[in-house]
Amino acid sequence: NAGVTQTPKFQVLKTGQSMTLQCAQDMNHNSMYWYRQDPGMGLRLIYYSASEGTTDKGEVPNGYNVSRLNKREFSLRLESAAPSQTSVYFCASSANPAEETQYFGPGTRLLVL
Amino acid sequence: DQQVKQNSPSLSVQEGRISILNCDYTNSMFDYFLWYKKYPAEGPTFLISISSIKDKNEDGRFTVFLNKSAKHLSLHIVPSQPGDSAVYFCAASARAFGQGTRLTINP
């Protein structure tokens, strides 16, 4: 039982490049989330998916797109990376939107030069 | 504007003593609060939660107190142990997180 997994663990991009961060969970959870963590800012919600087939914007969605590929997988795409997107990205899941407890992946550290 | 605030970026406590971490929120509609613990290079892990219908919840060495009128909650850890050294995040309803407090337990 791996919980929530994220790939890659670390990535360096040049400004303007694109990439997709992958997230998968094996807990049969309905809801999945993407956060970014920046120094002094805590965790900020980028996008979430309350259930398979639905996605919604969070607090800081600009510059990102998401895909809920199936119940297990929720990917985050940066179409044209900017230095302001340098951050640590965490994926999380919960049993359902009303279940507040979230389970987090180990994070992806992204550096945009 | 940050809806959940942890105003102490860091806290240092001696082993065996009590650690008290504080959190304030602005939205009176929040009805569920959680504390997460995070070690370096790992994702946050759930620690303890409290519903707004309660003012206290205990789980072993960890107790969370909620003061709805003050829009304030606190996490008490007693006795503090070296393994408690981590960053602690307060969260409201899974969508609003505080900035985190780095707790260091000194032997």
Side-chain angles (χ1 to χ4, degrees):
Chain A
N1 188 341
V4 179
T5 56
Q6 293 182 236
T7 55
K9 285 186 169 53
F10 179 70
Q11 184 73 46
V12 179
L13 289 179
K14 294 181 180 177
T15 296
Q17 288 185 316
S18 62
M19 80 162 294
T20 300
L21 282 66
Q22 306 286 355
C23 173
Q25 52 90 10
D26 62 3
M27 296 173 282
N28 202 34
H29 283 172
N30 288 302
S31 302
M32 298 185 74
Y33 310 81
W34 275 105
Y35 293 89
R36 60 179 288 173
Q37 185 194 4
D38 302 294
M41 300 293 289
L43 290 158
R44 292 184 292 170
L45 183 64
I46 305 171
Y47 271 94
Y48 65 99
S49 171
S51 61
E52 186 179 356
T54 69
T55 60
D56 287 286
K57 295 178 180 179
E59 181 185 354
V60 289
N62 291 344
Y64 306 96
N65 285 301
V66 290
S67 295
R68 184 75 183 266
L69 303 170
N70 47 54
K71 191 171 185 178
R72 290 187 64 248
E73 298 172 290
F74 188 38
S75 63
L76 179 72
R77 183 160 178 84
L78 286 71
E79 291 290 351
S80 178
S84 61
Q85 294 178 304
T86 292
S87 189
V88 181
Y89 291 85
F90 289 101
C91 177
S93 70
S94 64
N96 54 64
E99 173 56 52
E100 302 284 5
T101 303
Q102 296 179 319
Y103 297 83
F104 285 83
T108 294
R109 187 175 297 272
L110 177 66
L111 174 62
V112 183
L113 301 174
Chain B
D1 195 25
Q2 194 120 13
Q3 297 188 77
V4 176
K5 293 183 179 179
Q6 294 174 255
N7 292 317
S8 298
S10 62
L11 176 67
S12 186
V13 174
Q14 192 170 357
E15 182 179 0
R17 305 294 290 268
I18 184 171
S19 296
I20 300 176
L21 292 85
N22 294 303
C23 178
D24 297 296
Y25 61 95
T26 57
N27 190 339
S28 58
M29 297 300 290
F30 287 147
D31 60 2
Y32 197 80
F33 302 90
L34 309 95
W35 285 94
Y36 288 87
K37 178 179 180 179
K38 184 184 179 305
Y39 291 118
E42 295 183 9
T45 56
F46 170 73
L47 187 59
I48 192 169
S49 62
I50 188 166
S51 165
S52 61
I53 62 173
K54 295 184 174 182
D55 55 16
K56 177 182 174 181
N57 188 28
E58 282 183 86
D59 184 1
R61 296 185 297 112
F62 303 91
T63 302
V64 56
F65 295 92
L66 176 62
N67 182 333
K68 290 186 287 295
S69 61
K71 297 192 185 70
H72 177 83
L73 62 156
S74 60
L75 174 68
H76 293 210
I77 306 173
V78 56
S80 299
Q81 299 175 353
D84 296 329
S85 295
V87 175
Y88 290 79
F89 290 99
C90 167
S93 298
R95 305 284 167 80
F97 281 75
Q99 306 96 312
T101 296
R102 181 179 303 278
L103 175 64
T104 302
I105 306 302
N106 302 306

